[in-house]
Amino acid sequence: MARKASLSGFPEWLPEERLIEQHIIDVLRRTFELHGFSGIETRAVETVGDLLRKGEIDKEVYAVSRLQADEASASESGLALHYDLTVPFARYVVENSGHLAFPFRRYQIQKCWRGERPQEGRAREFTQADIDVVGDGALPFRYDIELALTVVEALGALPIPDFTLRINNRKLAEGFYRAIGLEDTAAVLRSIDKLEKIGAEQVGSLLREEVGADQEQVRLALELAGIRTPDTSFVERVRALGVSDELLEEGLEELRQVVAEAAHRAPGRVVADLSIARGLDYYTGTVYETVLDGHESLGSICSGGRYDALARKGNRTFPGVGLSIGVTRIVSRILSQGLATVSRPVPTAVLVTLADEGSWSQAQEVASALRVRGIPAEVAANAEKFGKQIKFADRRGIPFVWFTDTEGAHEVKDIRSGEQHAADPGSWLPPAGDLRPIVSAR
């Protein structure tokens, strides 16, 4: 169970909780690298102008200033902590375009800061894990498919409940709405986005009152939003609505390709969900949103999509497609619901005991011999009675204690079973399951 932070919205984990978070980060990093993504890190601050260009309101951005600011530091003004990793990445691409090989595959796992009201799943300081592919001038559509498969593999390796990656397409939605006479697609999307919260009847009222939709337009918009399939059958269901439009057909085909490949390679993980509206106002094609099954109230744990113009530099345009995983959101739910356990709260596998105060240097040699072979070890600080040293290891969660007698003979004891036997620090290995703390789903 996660503790409450003394400063709301800024979580701090206990050692065993941090092990769970670190496990998630390590799994994501390994998966991203297996798929050829290169890791980068950008600075924590950006200019306020760059951060607000995406439309964020001022109160959600933490400004940065020196306590002892003076005229000499005026050039440092106008800085703020980044609230996501997309804006910094767009700047990074522009500034380093001459040094990057396109399409550029990047992952980035860093903290972000956002001054919103804290609640479960929303913190003011949080860690995100992003993956993106960005092109120079053009970016093949197949990357939209690859991103979906990569994130399904990454999330599937985490100690979390089943999840569903829901996918929609901006072109599909925009083409459909315009074809039925609803030109203010952004307003339509804002109304459709409330579907899960307020229901179809109230969304219909919003469409009539705020968009000026007639009864037939409301019916068609709600029928489109009600289509959700785990396969490509959504294509015929959309066409059965009798709406024809070139942009609609383009979006249908793109979504069909993503869902067809995902249904083949990751059956049951991906669905075409035409109710997804959040993000469609700034994405230009594919849109992803992921929820934990049975934990929908938490909101999306992973979302993203395609930008036809992630960044610009003069006449050059850099289109991109990417996904962002809410690491802190996932960890918070794991801890609050007890969804995962860790085999021990510390990395140490072996405590090397002291027979007397003069044996500390010799004990350090034993620990070094273990560490050089990748076995986490620490040395007792005092030559207390062996019983007290064993209790210390037990209290820390260390599974093995090491003894060296005055003749230089070595023995190791598993304090859980009580088994003790002779061992050589140059060759002994703990069971594979005891080498490192193991995080597993309940």
Side-chain angles (χ1 to χ4, degrees):
M1 183 72 176
R3 295 176 303 117
K4 269 196 171 183
S6 59
L7 187 58
S8 180
F10 295 85
E12 294 178 331
W13 310 128
L14 292 171
E16 56 267 39
E17 296 169 342
R18 172 60 175 164
L19 284 170
I20 291 174
E21 181 187 48
Q22 196 63 56
H23 171 76
I24 288 172
I25 291 172
D26 289 344
V27 168
L28 295 177
R29 176 184 53 79
R30 286 196 301 268
T31 306
F32 296 159
E33 291 180 355
L34 283 172
H35 284 262
F37 291 85
S38 299
I40 69 166
E41 181 171 288
T42 58
R43 64 200 187 206
V45 297
E46 299 290 335
T47 66
V48 172
D50 282 344
L51 289 176
L52 298 186
R53 192 172 299 158
K54 208 177 155 189
E56 289 292 315
I57 58 176
D58 293 350
K59 68 180 182 181
E60 291 187 347
V61 176
Y62 282 109
V64 176
S65 63
R66 292 175 54 191
L67 291 176
Q68 301 297 327
D70 51 33
E71 291 183 7
S73 66
S75 61
E76 298 174 10
S77 63
L79 299 180
L81 297 171
H82 58 231
Y83 58 80
D84 73 358
L85 300 179
T86 301
V87 173
F89 179 53
R91 174 193 54 77
Y92 179 94
V93 168
V94 169
E95 293 182 358
N96 295 284
S97 58
H99 305 280
L100 301 176
F102 294 96
F104 176 52
R105 306 161 72 95
R106 148 277 198 183
Y107 78 87
Q108 189 172 349
I109 304 175
Q110 279 185 244
K111 285 188 179 296
C112 300
W113 297 266
R114 189 174 298 182
E116 58 186 3
R117 184 174 64 86
Q119 53 187 298
E120 184 174 10
R122 290 187 179 274
R124 290 172 170 168
E125 180 181 65
F126 54 95
T127 299
Q128 284 189 188
D130 283 21
I131 52 170
D132 287 85
V133 183
V134 60
D136 185 354
L139 184 68
F141 175 74
R142 283 180 173 168
Y143 286 114
D144 293 45
I145 305 173
E146 186 173 349
L147 263 289
L149 297 175
T150 300
V151 81
V152 163
E153 182 178 328
L155 293 175
L158 300 181
I160 57 176
D162 287 340
F163 60 89
T164 302
L165 178 61
R166 304 157 64 190
I167 308 179
N168 199 358
N169 190 287
R170 164 72 179 267
K171 298 173 186 176
L172 188 164
E174 186 171 325
F176 185 91
Y177 297 143
R178 289 183 176 173
I180 65 174
L182 298 176
E183 292 294 329
D184 190 353
T185 57
V188 177
L189 291 169
R190 285 195 298 270
S191 297
I192 295 296
D193 189 39
K194 299 180 174 70
L195 194 58
E196 290 185 355
K197 292 182 179 179
I198 64 177
E201 185 175 340
Q202 291 190 55
V203 168
S205 297
L206 288 175
L207 290 172
R208 285 187 289 269
E209 296 166 6
E210 299 182 5
V211 185
D214 60 31
Q215 195 60 36
E216 179 63 8
Q217 290 170 327
V218 169
R219 181 186 70 81
L220 288 169
L222 289 176
E223 286 199 24
L224 181 74
I227 296 174
R228 176 172 174 157
T229 69
D231 50 34
T232 60
S233 60
F234 70 90
V235 176
E236 291 308 314
R237 290 183 60 182
V238 172
R239 288 178 178 157
L241 297 177
V243 177
S244 178
D245 180 84
E246 186 177 339
L247 187 61
L248 165 63
E249 287 298 322
E250 187 178 338
L252 273 175
E253 175 56 20
E254 289 185 355
L255 185 56
R256 185 200 66 77
Q257 290 184 49
V258 178
V259 174
E261 187 65 21
H264 170 64
R265 299 183 61 83
R269 293 293 201 188
V270 174
V271 299
D273 188 340
L274 306 194
S275 71
I276 294 176
R278 187 172 66 87
L280 280 176
D281 55 337
Y282 49 85
Y283 292 121
T284 56
T286 306
V287 177
Y288 315 94
E289 192 169 284
T290 313
V291 294
L292 292 179
D293 299 345
H295 300 263
E296 288 80 5
S297 62
L298 183 65
S300 178
I301 62 165
C302 172
S303 61
R306 173 176 279 251
Y307 293 92
D308 280 341
L310 173 72
R312 295 181 185 275
K313 184 179 183 180
N315 294 327
R316 294 172 70 185
T317 300
F318 302 95
V321 58
L323 281 150
S324 177
I325 298 173
V327 174
T328 299
R329 178 171 291 193
I330 291 173
V331 173
S332 297
R333 180 50 60 105
I334 287 175
L335 298 179
S336 67
Q337 302 291 315
L339 301 177
T341 60
V342 61
S343 59
R344 64 176 186 262
V346 294
T348 310
V350 181
L351 174 72
V352 182
T353 63
L354 299 180
D356 53 52
E357 294 298 342
S359 63
W360 187 82
S361 181
Q362 182 185 18
Q364 287 290 349
E365 291 181 6
V366 172
S368 294
L370 295 171
R371 292 174 191 137
V372 78
R373 292 184 298 107
I375 304 170
E378 62 181 84
V379 176
N382 300 299
E384 300 178 298
K385 292 181 179 179
F386 283 139
K388 286 189 175 182
Q389 294 184 66
I390 293 172
K391 284 184 179 179
F392 172 79
D394 185 44
R395 190 167 64 251
R396 294 278 315 284
I398 302 171
F400 297 95
V401 291
W402 193 281
F403 304 101
T404 304
D405 65 21
T406 55
E407 302 299 320
H410 303 282
E411 292 189 343
V412 65
K413 179 174 184 173
D414 184 334
I415 63 175
R416 299 160 299 183
S417 66
E419 294 182 5
Q420 184 171 330
H421 55 80
D424 181 347
S427 60
W428 177 83
L429 286 171
D434 289 325
L435 187 60
R436 296 279 189 278
I438 296 176
V439 175
S440 55
R442 285 188 184 275

